[in-house]
Amino acid sequence: MSSASSPAATSMAAPRARFNTLPLLIALFCLLWSYAFVAGKIGVTDCPPLILLAARFSLAGVLILGISWLRRDTWDLTWRDAAVFAVIGVANNALYLGLGYTGLKTVSAGLGALIVSANPVFTAMLAALFLGESMTVRKVIGLVLGIVGVAFIVWHRLKVGTDSPHGILFTLASLASIVAGTMLFKLLAPKGSLWIGNGIQNIAGGLAVMPFAFTLASVGDIVPSMRLAGAFAFLVLGGSILAYLLWFHLLKVCGATAASAYHFLMPPLGMLFAYLVLGEHVEFRDLLGIIPVALGIYLVTRPAAAAAPRLA
């Protein structure tokens, strides 16, 4: 019998389907990023925000670069790439989280996640203008639905009057910083290892925050506790190291608009974690806003997700 007609030969010749890890990476990123608001709220309760961030960025940067040195990783970044990662570190770390954590002193973790989740709207508009990313009718409808859902929940929270307008302004400035950092990453397109680049980003963020941390706050204001230690450990390992590494990866494989659209998931996840861990109050009206948010994510990301490369 001819081997060409053998079922076994045909079966062996057929290529195996490769498992697509992208959905798992997206889910992990969303869980880490949204829980970071809760960990941040816990951290700033027992430690001045800027001191917490200076320590977080510095330790994360030292760990990343130290691990790279121990593994003898190849330094494949040019001086230009290193400078770009440092600039992004000031925007994505020092400004975004410095302003955001200052706001968390007087706003709830859930509202902080809500405001920052408007990132996709501004990123999509700027990406269409400066990056040439397509802006289809489907994406426009999805972005509008997302912002409507978020705005509905924010409006309700403000009406109840449980959050400080002063803190909200800091959080809005934090939102502008993460949008700027996202655009800089796509526009300047640094090459080389994202792992080493994230280490440089954290070191730059720590150096930028440190002078303000020890000028505007006192180490004596820190209240040592197990919850502070746990929150700090998560923020360093899960936030500054793993979440940012995933974020840059998603920007590369999904594009700025689609990757940023996943920030619409942060409000419901942030409120859920804040309710479970901090006991923050969640009303039925808050949950209603999740419906247009979920539909908006589907409309914005479906075309990009279908075209994204499958990862081994």
Side-chain angles (χ1 to χ4, degrees), residues 17-167:
R18 301 174 68 189
F19 178 67
N20 183 13
T21 61
L22 185 59
L24 295 178
L25 296 179
I26 291 169
L28 180 58
F29 164 74
C30 291
L31 290 173
L32 291 171
W33 200 274
S34 56
Y35 187 78
F37 288 95
V38 174
K41 182 68 174 180
I42 295 171
V44 300
T45 302
D46 293 338
C47 180
L50 297 183
I51 292 180
L52 179 69
L53 287 174
R56 168 186 171 179
F57 297 153
S58 301
L59 179 57
V62 168
L63 285 175
I64 292 172
L65 296 181
I67 291 171
S68 296
W69 180 77
L70 289 174
R71 296 190 313 188
R72 302 184 184 276
D73 292 343
T74 302
W75 181 283
D76 56 354
L77 275 69
T78 65
W79 285 109
R80 185 259 184 194
D81 294 327
V84 169
F85 276 115
V87 169
I88 294 171
V90 174
N92 270 359
N93 290 42
L95 289 175
Y96 164 54
L97 291 173
L99 293 166
Y101 274 35
T102 302
L104 275 178
K105 291 288 289 184
T106 53
V107 300
S108 65
L111 183 59
L114 279 168
I115 293 175
V116 174
S117 71
N119 174 16
V121 177
F122 299 102
T123 299
M125 291 188 296
L126 293 175
L129 289 173
F130 298 109
L131 301 179
E133 291 193 6
S134 62
M135 181 57 68
T136 63
V137 174
R138 178 192 292 265
K139 284 186 179 181
V140 171
I141 294 174
L143 291 168
V144 170
L145 284 172
I147 198 63
V148 165
V150 171
F152 176 80
I153 302 172
V154 171
W155 173 80
H156 172 62
R157 290 294 189 94
L158 289 176
K159 189 176 178 181
V160 174
T162 55
D163 296 280
S164 162
H166 183 260

Side-chain angles (χ1 to χ4, degrees), residues 143-295:
L143 291 168
V144 170
L145 284 172
I147 198 63
V148 165
V150 171
F152 176 80
I153 302 172
V154 171
W155 173 80
H156 172 62
R157 290 294 189 94
L158 289 176
K159 189 176 178 181
V160 174
T162 55
D163 296 280
S164 162
H166 183 260
I168 291 172
L169 286 177
F170 273 104
T171 312
L172 288 171
S174 170
L175 165 63
S177 300
I178 188 67
V179 171
T182 301
M183 294 304 299
L184 284 173
F185 181 79
K186 293 298 290 185
L187 280 170
L188 301 178
K191 296 179 175 59
S193 168
L194 289 179
W195 172 255
I196 295 177
N198 193 29
I200 295 172
Q201 171 181 291
N202 275 284
I203 292 292
L207 291 175
V209 169
M210 207 169 291
F212 299 96
F214 294 104
T215 301
L216 303 175
S218 170
V219 176
D221 294 330
I222 299 174
V223 181
S225 64
M226 287 303 298
R227 68 176 185 176
L228 175 59
F232 182 72
F234 174 84
L235 290 171
V236 171
L237 300 175
S240 289
I241 296 179
L242 184 53
Y244 267 101
L245 193 63
L246 289 170
W247 170 236
F248 286 143
H249 179 72
L250 293 177
L251 281 175
K252 280 195 169 184
V253 300
C254 298
T257 301
S260 296
Y262 292 111
H263 281 263
F264 279 140
L265 281 171
M266 305 312 167
L269 287 174
M271 285 190 295
L272 175 62
F273 285 135
Y275 168 74
L276 293 175
V277 179
L278 303 176
E280 289 186 3
H281 183 61
V282 179
E283 294 190 9
F284 179 69
R285 290 185 183 182
D286 293 331
L287 301 178
L288 285 177
I290 296 174
I291 299 174
V293 166
L295 182 57

